[in-house]
Amino acid sequence: MTTATSPLTWAQLRDLKCAELEGAADGWGRASNRADAGRDRIEKQLLHGLRETQQGAAADAAVARLRQLGRNLQYVYTECGLVRTALNSLAHEMRAQQRALREALDDAETLRFTVHADGSVTYPEAGEGLIDGKPLAGGTASVGAMPGLLPPSGLVAPNPHTAKAQDIADRVAKAVRTAAEIDWRFARILRKLRAEEGLKVPDRTWTDAAGDAAAVRDAARGYLKSGIPYEADPAARRDWWAGLTDEQREEYLAVYPDQIGNLDGIPALVRDTANRDNLQLLIGKLEGRDDARAETQLAGLREIDRQLQAGRQPPMFLLGIGDEGNGRAIVSYGNPDTARNVSAYVPGLNTSLDADFAKNDLKRAWDTAKGVSKYDHSNASIVWLGYDAPQSPDGFDSLDVMGDERALRGGSSFHQFMGGLSATNENADPHMTAIGHSYGSRTVGAATQHGGGIPGVDDIVFVGSPGVGVDRAEDLGVGKDHVFVGAAENDVVTKLPSKRQTAAGLVGWAAAGPAGAYLLGEVADQGDDDLWFGKDPASGAFGARRFPVNEGPRLVGGSGVSIDAHSQYFDPQRDAMSSDSIALIAAGRADKVKTEESR
């Protein structure tokens, strides 16, 4: 590394051994891999064995210590991986400047110019004078503080070598100057990659690690990030990952877990590994803030982390995590790459990355996974929070729930996600089910309108739906016999008035009060089968198969106002008929589902 008192020279840049930097990076990579192997053994062998065979205070204490050790090894894995990538990035960028320098020196040698230690270039006599015909004198081209930035004088130098020498001097200076900037930038990064003394890795250290990762990611953007195929389809991304070397994969996982973990088309095991690491970095990042949004998301992240550590069965796979917008989280119970039956549930109104989502929405996917297991153990049940669902009026834009924009953006993302699952599943013809609840049903409906339907999806389930954006089940890309709907009698969301009814009702109210509002509303929708986002999926006109559900508690009862009828479709304790129907459909046993008359 150079310093202000010892500037980099072109000879030092020329002689720099980038292979030695890469050799040092390999050493840090081996240390990172050993830490990762130790963490993996703790989580998959030691903790599992203790939970299965031991009980009591001593066992609980041993589990706590092992978890702390695993967390420490995860930190070692992350930091060593960052050092490795920083060194490899340094070598990568320095090589580019060495090439630029070498090309300039080669040009000088070809022309028989002399490049001096200070970067100036001497050139010989050449050409001939206009008066006496003698060769024109040679000279020396030097570079000022800002080469190449001064406009040409308009005078043409008589010696034809002058411009060539100046160009070579400028190129040498630029390569040296750029290399010095690279050297200084990476020196700052590497000095920061230091751990606290002691055996425990406290939360504040993870906050520092989040900053370290951000710095290395920024520095490595040309070395690694530019290679990520963001614009490719999921199948091409799968093939890209398969074509990388082990070392390349390790570096991407260490430095860009946020990118790899959320990239559709990457295998589920890889995404899970990346997202578990990114989860710790996100927790560290948000712990460094004190705003309400950070606290809300922290609560959700910590609850997801707690469940991951608890070893819940079926096993959890973290397929996506992020803090953008209202937060992102995609959790699967079961491996979606090996399962014959894969279902993905999209939540709706008021869903965000918070403690409620981590407890209740994850439980819905878990309940579905357990329900499907009664019919086929080869299954994976996913909850997909990959978009910004509308929020209720408590401080958020209440108009979002009335519009399509979030559903349209979310539908595009969900379409891409399901394409990724279809690309990475190892079965010849897996059975896939898309499930939309509440506003999530509108999002699933939007996803069906891209490129011939949702990739790989065989069946679609809507529950608690305010409409899905199309008026006929046959327009959803799977055939109307593969579209199912559950609508509780007391679920007010499934009875939202249509936009025409609402507009007519407002006019009627203004003209004649409640009676006028009612009459105009009825005239606006004489079939009484339109909802806010189109035809009622539970109506005969829509054409889906309606399965029986519990009617749910009334909106107004003895204990006050309740909208619980909107949230119990997945719960086997509160609505066994609905949850079992969802499980049968997700298991590919839709022929066993009982149906009832449409509205």
Side-chain angles (χ1 to χ4, degrees):
M1 298 297 172
T2 61
T3 66
T5 58
S6 177
L8 182 70
T9 67
W10 68 260
Q12 290 173 322
L13 175 59
R14 179 197 60 193
D15 298 336
L16 177 66
K17 294 180 173 57
C18 290
E20 292 183 356
L21 291 172
E22 292 169 333
D26 290 342
W28 285 99
R30 288 190 291 272
S32 179
N33 291 340
R34 284 195 293 270
D36 189 41
R39 177 188 61 172
D40 192 63
R41 183 164 182 255
I42 287 171
E43 292 179 354
K44 295 183 179 178
Q45 297 180 32
L46 300 181
L47 280 173
H48 179 73
L50 270 174
R51 292 193 193 102
E52 293 293 321
T53 62
Q54 304 296 321
Q55 293 182 343
D60 291 342
V63 166
R65 294 296 296 273
L66 281 172
R67 282 180 177 164
Q68 181 62 57
L69 179 57
R71 183 176 169 85
N72 291 359
L73 288 172
Q74 184 173 18
Y75 174 76
V76 173
Y77 160 78
T78 297
E79 290 291 293
C80 288
L82 293 176
V83 174
R84 171 184 58 189
T85 298
L87 290 171
N88 277 333
S89 296
L90 173 60
H92 174 78
E93 293 195 36
M94 283 298 197
R95 270 208 175 92
Q97 301 313 312
Q98 281 185 319
R99 285 194 297 271
L101 173 65
R102 190 175 300 112
E103 289 171 359
L105 295 176
D106 289 345
D107 287 347
E109 183 178 3
T110 300
L111 294 167
R112 297 183 180 180
F113 294 175
T114 300
V115 181
H116 301 285
D118 64 356
S120 59
V121 179
T122 297
Y123 54 93
E125 60 182 19
E128 56 183 41
L130 295 176
I131 298 175
D132 57 13
K134 294 182 178 180
L136 299 171
T140 300
S142 60
V143 178
M146 303 180 73
L149 297 183
L150 296 177
S153 65
L155 299 177
V156 179
N159 190 321
H161 288 324
T162 302
K164 297 176 183 178
Q166 188 63 56
D167 174 66
I168 291 172
D170 288 348
R171 287 156 59 195
V172 169
K174 181 179 179 182
V176 172
R177 184 177 64 255
T178 303
E181 292 170 352
I182 294 168
D183 179 49
W184 175 81
R185 174 158 48 89
F186 278 94
R188 289 184 63 201
I189 293 171
L190 290 166
R191 289 191 188 105
K192 288 182 62 180
L193 296 175
R194 298 172 58 187
E196 295 186 21
E197 294 184 3
L199 297 177
K200 186 176 181 181
V201 179
D203 290 341
R204 65 178 180 274
T205 303
W206 276 107
T207 300
D208 292 339
D212 294 342
V216 175
R217 288 171 189 167
D218 183 64
R221 60 187 181 275
Y223 170 58
L224 285 178
K225 190 175 182 181
S226 60
I228 300 175
Y230 293 108
E231 302 303 320
D233 61 36
R237 293 171 179 172
R238 175 201 61 203
D239 295 342
W240 166 76
W241 183 260
L244 296 177
T245 66
D246 288 342
E247 182 180 354
Q248 287 171 325
R249 292 176 190 155
E250 290 163 3
E251 286 203 80
Y252 275 114
L253 287 173
V255 181
Y256 289 109
D258 58 327
Q259 305 294 316
I260 301 303
N262 291 287
L263 195 63
D264 299 320
I266 301 299
L269 284 171
V270 176
R271 292 181 71 162
D272 179 63
T273 297
N275 285 315
R276 287 179 188 242
D277 291 332
N278 192 41
L279 176 62
Q280 300 304 321
L281 293 173
L282 282 173
I283 290 173
K285 171 186 173 182
L286 295 178
E287 280 174 341
R289 301 177 181 175
D290 58 2
D291 57 284
R293 176 173 171 272
E295 291 177 0
T296 297
Q297 292 189 352
L298 258 178
L301 293 172
R302 285 172 173 154
E303 175 59 22
I304 291 173
D305 187 41
R306 185 195 68 77
Q307 292 186 36
L308 287 168
Q309 299 298 329
R312 175 175 277 189
Q313 294 297 320
M316 291 175 67
F317 291 80
L318 191 58
L319 302 182
I321 200 75
D323 64 340
E324 60 267 36
N326 292 328
R328 303 286 187 267
I330 308 171
V331 175
S332 177
Y333 292 94
N335 187 339
D337 287 352
T338 59
R340 287 190 299 269
N341 299 287
V342 180
S343 65
Y345 142 61
V346 181
L349 176 66
N350 279 343
T351 311
S352 63
L353 179 55
D354 56 16
D356 181 74
F357 166 82
K359 293 175 182 177
N360 297 322
D361 286 279
L362 263 65
K363 182 179 181 299
R364 290 174 180 173
W366 188 42
D367 284 338
T368 299
K370 290 187 296 180
V372 175
S373 293
K374 293 186 299 183
Y375 305 105
D376 193 334
H377 287 288
S378 181
N379 81 88
S381 178
I382 299 166
V383 53
W384 183 86
L385 181 59
Y387 78 120
D388 283 328
Q391 305 296 302
S392 59
D394 52 351
F396 297 92
D397 183 1
S398 61
L399 295 179
D400 281 333
V401 73
M402 301 172 68
D404 288 303
E405 184 177 352
R406 294 195 179 201
L408 295 175
R409 290 201 304 264
S412 177
S413 298
F414 185 65
H415 185 276
Q416 180 90 348
F417 172 75
M418 295 304 292
L421 295 185
S422 184
T424 58
N425 190 281
E426 299 170 7
N427 293 282
D429 186 21
H431 173 259
M432 293 189 176
T433 305
I435 305 171
H437 174 241
S438 187
Y439 188 88
S441 66
R442 177 66 188 94
T443 304
V444 171
T448 67
Q449 302 306 296
H450 291 270
I454 306 175
V457 168
D458 303 284
D459 292 300
I460 295 175
V461 179
F462 299 123
V463 288
S465 175
V468 302
V470 301
D471 289 334
R472 301 181 305 171
E474 60 195 63
D475 294 333
L476 295 169
V478 293
K480 66 178 184 178
D481 290 339
H482 293 273
V483 180
F484 300 84
V485 60
E489 178 62 27
N490 292 321
D491 182 352
V492 295
V493 174
T494 70
K495 297 183 176 181
L496 288 175
S498 69
K499 297 174 185 178
R500 292 173 61 199
Q501 281 179 299
T502 302
L506 289 173
V507 171
W509 188 285
Y518 176 78
L519 289 174
L520 276 178
E522 288 298 300
V523 171
D525 180 17
Q526 295 182 8
D528 197 28
D529 56 11
D530 285 331
L531 298 181
W532 188 261
F533 292 117
K535 197 68 67 179
D536 179 2
S539 70
F542 189 81
R545 297 170 64 185
R546 185 183 182 191
F547 54 85
V549 302
N550 190 303
E551 66 179 15
R554 293 181 178 275
L555 179 63
V556 180
S559 57
V561 177
S562 169
I563 58 170
D564 287 350
H566 184 58
S567 59
Q568 62 185 33
Y569 294 99
F570 300 86
D571 193 327
Q573 302 301 317
R574 295 191 294 166
D575 195 339
M577 291 187 297
S578 176
S579 62
D580 190 57
S581 294
I582 293 172
L584 279 168
I585 297 164
R589 304 285 295 277
D591 58 311
K592 303 297 182 183
V593 174
K594 296 180 180 179
T595 59
E596 64 179 8
E597 289 186 8
S598 303
R599 285 178 173 172

